[in-house]
Amino acid sequence: MATICDSKIPAGPLEKKWSKHQAESKLVSPANKRKFEILVVGSGLAGASAAATLGELGYHVKCFCYQDSPRRAHSIAAQGGINAAKNYQNDGDSVFRLFYDTIKGGDFRSREANVYRLAEISNLIIDQCAAQGVPFAREYSGLLANRSFGGAQVSRTFYARGQTGQQLLLGAYQALERQISLNAVKMFPRTEMLDLVLVDNHAKGIVVRDLVTGEISSHAGDAVILATGGYGNVFYLSTNARGCNVTATYRAFKRGALFANPCFTQIHPTCIPVSGSYQSKLTLMSESLRNDGRVWVPKRKGDNRPPREIPDSERDYYLERKYPSFGNLAPRDIASRSAKEVCDEGRGVGPGGLGVYLDFAESIGRLGEKTIRERYGNLFEMYHNITGEDAYQRPMRIYPAVHYTMGGLWVDYNLMSNIPGLHVLGEANFSDHGANRLGASALMQGLADGYFVIPYTLGNYLANQSGKKASVERPEFKAVEEQARQRVTKLLSIRGKRTVTSFHRELGLLVWENCGMARSAEGLQAALGEIPQLREEFWHNANVLGEGNDLNQSLEHAGRVADFLEFAELMCLDALDRNESCGGHFRVEHATEDGEALRNDDDYCHVSAWEYNGSGKQPTRHIEPLIFDNVKLAQRSYK
C-alpha cells in the first residue's frame, strides 16, 4: 500500500480554491487551440457538454458513442431532477449547505475541494440550461420550481416533470449539434472504444470498432476524455440501459489508470420490483416520488390484504418512524437497506414479498390528483404500462435495485487520471460522491464536469503538449490494434454451448448476493473463489455467434461481459479490503446496535485506488488520504 500521486488540490480557503485554481491554470491561446485534437468518448451529459464546449473554444474534437445518436445516451433515463443551491424557496439553502449535504450523504468518503466546487458550479448549470431552453418546471409566477430529494431538508432540485435527464440531454445535444455543423466536432456514432493507446506513457489515442462494419481502427489525439458512465450492469439486473458497460474504463485500468473505490455502488430504493427471471433490466421510479408518496408495509407478517383494506393503525411507515427528521426523504442507501430489512422480516408486499408500498393517497387528498399528475404524470404512466396497476388508485410497489456507481477511475482536481492526458468525467470517475450519491446530483456532476471544469483544467495538460502530436502510424497504435483484433478473434473462436447472456446473468446474481446491499467477509471470499471459475468457463464454453466483419451484437455483448468477469473480481476485492460500513458499502460485521453503517475513520478515511499488475496477479492498492478541514467527521444521522 502506498500513497498515490498528487491530487493537485489548490491551497487556500475552501471557498476560494476553485477561483484560485482557475486564475493560476495554464492557458492555451485561441490560435494554439486549433492545433489540438481532443478525443471524447461518450456523448451523455458529461461527454456531450464537454465536446460542445471544447468545440466552442476552438479545439478540434472527435466524439465517439456506441449508440446511433448522442440522444440515446443513458443520461436520457434520469428522471427526478438536478440540484443547485439557488435558494429560490428561501428555506435556508446555500452553497455550503449543498456542499455539506453531499459530503454527509457520501458518508465522509469524498474530497472536500471537489464537492465544494460542484456546489459552487451548480448555480451556473441552471442558468446555462435555462438559457438553452431546457423546459424546467415553473411556479405560477414564472420562476423556476424546486422540489426536495433524499438527504436534504431544503428544496433545491430543479426538474422537468419526470423527464429531467432527457430535457438536459437535448440541451447538451443541440449545443453539440451546433459544433458539428461548424466542423468543430466530428461525431462517430455506432463506434465502440476497445482500448487506450499510450505514447511515452501519455494517453494519445484510442482503438475503436465500427459496430456496423466491424472495422477496427485507431484515432490519435492530444488528449483523451472518457465520459462513458458507470458499471452497474456488472449486476446484470440494474436500472441502467442494457448497453452500459465498464469496457472503456476497465481497458484504461489495464493500461495503468488507477481504479478508485470500485466497491462503492448505489442501490436505488424506488424501482419496480423484479417480476421474473426473464427480465434483462429494471425500471427506475424517480426518487422525487418520495416527496409526495409515503413508504409503508403492513405491521403484521404475511398480511396479504389489498392495501386499501389495511387501516392506518396497522401500517408501518418505517422511514417516518426510524428517521423522523427526514422521513421518506432519507438518503438512498438508508432507504434501500430499510426496505430490505422489512422484507427480510416477512412484511414485504407483492409476489415473493419483495416490495414495499409507495402511497400517494394522502397527497392526492391534500393537493388533488391534478397537481400530482402535473408533477409526476409520465412516471405514473410508465408504472401503469409496466405493471398494469393505477398508482392513483392504489399504492405503487417498489423495491431497491442497482442504479449508480460512485467508484470509477481516479482523477485529480483537474479531472485527469494518473495517466497524463487521460481525463475522466461524470460517472466514469470517482471524485464527487463518496460512498453514496445524493439524488439529483448525477446530472449536476456530469454537466459541471463538461461545461465548467474540463474547459478550464484541460489547458494545464495541453499547454506543455505543443508539437507532441502522435500519429496512428506509430508502433504503439499498431500494437494495440493487433491486440484488439486478436481478442475479437478469440471471442469468436470459442463456439461453446452456453450463451453469453447466461454467463452475464450468473455473474450478476453472484455479485448481487455477495456484493450487493449487504456484504460480509464470508460472502466476498466465496465470490472471489467463484468468479475466476466462471471466467475460465466463459473463455471455453461461451457461444459467440456471427462474424467480426459485420454488425454483430452478440460479439459486442461478449466483449463487455468478458470485462465484467474481470472487473467483478476487483470490485469484490475492494469490498473485502474495506473493513468498515459506509454509505452504500454495508459490511454486516460493521454495524451499530440499531443496524446503521459503522465507519472506521482511523483505518479507512481514504480513497482506495487499485493498480493493475497483469493477468492473474493481485492488483496493488494505493490510497489517497481524505482530509476534512471544513466539516467534522461524525456518525451520520438522519433521525
Side-chain angles (χ1 to χ4, degrees):
M1 185 177 72
T3 302
I4 65 173
C5 52
D6 182 15
S7 60
K8 296 184 174 62
I9 295 174
L14 183 66
E15 66 274 10
K16 295 183 179 178
K17 287 183 185 293
W18 177 230
S19 57
K20 180 177 185 289
H21 192 66
Q22 287 175 298
E24 294 176 352
S25 289
K26 297 176 182 178
L27 299 177
V28 179
S29 72
N32 285 334
K33 284 187 175 77
R34 294 192 293 270
K35 300 175 183 177
F36 289 116
E37 187 155 82
I38 314 300
L39 308 181
V40 179
V41 185
S43 63
L45 284 179
S49 59
T53 308
L54 294 174
E56 181 74 35
L57 287 173
Y59 294 105
H60 289 288
V61 180
K62 290 182 177 179
C63 186
F64 303 82
C65 70
Y66 65 76
Q67 300 92 346
D68 61 349
S69 165
R71 291 174 298 173
R72 296 191 190 274
H74 185 57
S75 300
I76 201 171
Q79 297 170 346
I82 178 171
N83 288 331
K86 288 283 194 182
N87 195 30
Y88 281 173
Q89 305 301 309
N90 197 29
D91 57 359
D93 202 9
S94 65
V95 168
F96 187 87
R97 192 175 294 276
L98 174 54
F99 154 75
Y100 179 76
D101 286 347
T102 306
I103 288 284
K104 178 184 175 183
D107 217 350
F108 302 92
R109 289 296 177 260
S110 49
R111 286 189 194 135
E112 280 193 340
N114 286 66
V115 175
Y116 193 88
R117 174 174 67 184
L118 181 64
E120 276 186 285
I121 289 172
S122 67
N123 293 336
L124 300 176
I125 297 170
I126 303 304
D127 296 340
Q128 165 91 3
C129 294
Q132 288 176 331
V134 172
F136 288 122
R138 294 180 181 268
E139 304 286 1
Y140 179 77
S141 64
L143 297 177
L144 298 182
N146 291 129
R147 58 190 178 199
S148 299
F149 255 66
Q153 291 180 306
V154 298
S155 295
R156 63 162 67 103
T157 304
F158 296 76
Y159 63 97
R161 296 185 77 191
Q163 304 172 348
T164 314
Q166 178 181 14
Q167 299 303 325
L168 291 172
L169 185 62
L170 289 172
Y173 174 71
Q174 69 181 13
L176 176 60
E177 283 295 298
R178 179 173 182 271
Q179 296 306 312
I180 292 172
S181 71
L182 295 172
N183 295 318
V185 177
K186 185 175 182 182
M187 195 72 214
F188 292 83
R190 299 307 309 267
T191 304
E192 182 169 31
M193 174 181 161
L194 298 182
D195 216 329
L196 179 71
V197 180
L198 305 186
V199 177
D200 298 329
N201 295 318
H202 285 239
K204 292 297 181 184
I206 58 175
V207 170
V208 301
R209 180 175 181 268
D210 185 311
L211 298 182
V212 176
T213 68
E215 180 186 3
I216 292 175
S217 61
S218 295
H219 294 265
D222 294 284
V224 176
I225 294 174
L226 297 186
T228 52
Y231 47 85
N233 277 344
V234 68
F235 291 93
Y236 184 70
L237 284 180
S238 80
T239 66
N240 291 185
R242 291 298 298 145
C244 294
N245 62 83
V246 76
T247 291
T249 49
Y250 192 70
R251 297 279 114 198
F253 166 70
K254 295 184 77 170
R255 294 294 175 187
L258 299 175
F259 212 112
N261 300 335
C263 77
F264 285 171
T265 56
Q266 180 171 83
I267 312 299
H268 197 293
T270 53
C271 300
I272 297 178
V274 176
S275 59
S277 60
Y278 56 84
Q279 280 186 267
S280 60
K281 77 175 299 295
L282 299 174
T283 302
L284 172 69
M285 288 284 101
S286 170
E287 181 178 317
S288 63
L289 293 169
R290 291 197 280 149
N291 272 291
D292 292 306
R294 301 180 71 190
V295 179
W296 65 275
V297 292
K299 288 183 177 179
R300 180 166 54 87
K301 293 181 181 180
D303 190 339
N304 296 319
R305 287 177 292 172
R308 290 291 175 255
E309 294 181 10
I310 302 176
D312 205 63
S313 61
E314 297 180 30
R315 300 177 180 184
D316 181 11
Y317 296 94
Y318 58 88
L319 290 177
E320 298 173 31
R321 170 176 56 82
K322 294 172 66 177
Y323 309 102
S325 295
F326 285 75
N328 296 300
L329 290 175
R332 291 175 175 179
D333 59 319
I334 289 174
S336 294
R337 283 198 299 275
S338 296
K340 182 179 186 297
E341 287 171 9
V342 296
C343 290
D344 288 348
E345 292 170 3
R347 296 192 288 138
V349 301
L354 292 178
V356 301
Y357 288 129
L358 182 61
D359 195 339
F360 294 87
E362 189 272 338
S363 293
I364 290 173
R366 175 169 49 88
L367 302 170
E369 185 174 314
K370 181 176 182 292
T371 298
I372 299 300
R373 286 186 183 275
E374 289 173 349
R375 292 178 178 177
Y376 313 111
N378 64 301
L379 297 173
F380 278 61
E381 291 167 12
M382 185 188 309
Y383 182 83
H384 182 266
N385 289 338
I386 292 172
T387 66
E389 298 175 5
D390 183 353
Y392 295 106
Q393 301 299 321
R394 61 178 293 153
M396 288 184 179
R397 289 178 296 106
I398 58 170
Y399 192 71
V402 175
H403 179 59
Y404 189 87
T405 55
M406 286 77 67
L409 293 184
W410 182 90
V411 292
D412 62 19
Y413 195 69
N414 290 317
L415 302 184
M416 188 167 78
S417 74
N418 59 299
I419 296 178
L422 178 64
H423 299 75
V424 192
L425 314 185
E427 191 179 359
N429 74 32
F430 87 101
S431 68
D432 291 359
H433 305 298
N436 174 62
R437 177 176 67 75
L438 290 186
S441 289
L443 306 183
M444 178 172 61
Q445 186 206 355
L447 292 180
D449 287 356
Y451 279 139
F452 296 104
V453 179
I454 197 64
Y456 279 98
T457 62
L458 185 62
N460 288 307
Y461 173 73
L462 291 178
N464 297 320
Q465 295 301 304
S466 183
K468 298 181 181 179
K469 187 180 294 294
S471 165
V472 294
E473 299 304 318
R474 288 185 63 108
E476 294 92 337
F477 283 87
K478 299 302 181 185
V480 176
E481 267 190 47
E482 182 56 29
Q483 291 167 16
R485 290 191 179 93
Q486 289 176 1
R487 191 166 187 262
V488 167
T489 300
K490 184 177 180 182
L491 285 167
L492 291 169
S493 67
I494 303 172
R495 299 299 185 189
K497 297 181 179 179
R498 284 188 61 179
T499 66
V500 172
T501 297
S502 73
F503 282 101
H504 194 182
R505 184 183 286 112
E506 183 175 346
L507 174 69
L509 183 60
L510 177 64
V511 177
W512 172 251
E513 290 181 343
N514 295 291
C515 197
M517 269 195 283
R519 298 140 185 214
S520 67
E522 181 182 7
L524 290 165
Q525 287 166 348
L528 288 168
E530 291 181 48
I531 291 170
Q533 298 174 27
L534 185 62
R535 185 169 62 241
E536 178 73 13
E537 184 186 355
F538 173 87
W539 285 105
H540 286 90
N541 199 29
N543 185 10
V544 184
L545 304 174
E547 304 295 333
N549 57 351
D550 203 349
L551 175 67
N552 188 342
Q553 292 185 315
S554 177
L555 175 60
E556 295 170 33
H557 188 204
R560 296 164 189 170
V561 172
D563 286 325
F564 279 139
L565 282 162
E566 293 186 29
F567 174 75
E569 192 170 359
L570 178 67
M571 196 169 87
C572 293
L573 182 65
D574 185 46
L576 180 62
D577 176 82
R578 188 169 282 275
N579 281 299
E580 66 167 352
S581 290
C582 54
H585 169 66
F586 188 77
R587 286 281 296 273
V588 296
E589 308 96 328
H590 304 287
T592 63
E593 290 184 359
D594 53 356
E596 302 293 346
L598 183 62
R599 293 197 321 270
N600 178 355
D601 292 332
D602 291 338
D603 298 321
Y604 289 95
C605 191
H606 60 241
V607 177
S608 292
W610 297 86
E611 178 186 4
Y612 182 71
N613 287 322
S615 179
K617 297 180 180 178
Q618 181 92 346
T620 300
R621 184 172 72 92
H622 302 269
I623 67 166
E624 177 197 343
L626 293 169
I627 300 170
F628 294 93
D629 294 323
N630 298 274
V631 297
K632 182 180 178 181
L633 281 169
Q635 181 66 35
R636 198 171 53 143
S637 174
Y638 291 93
K639 295 183 177 181

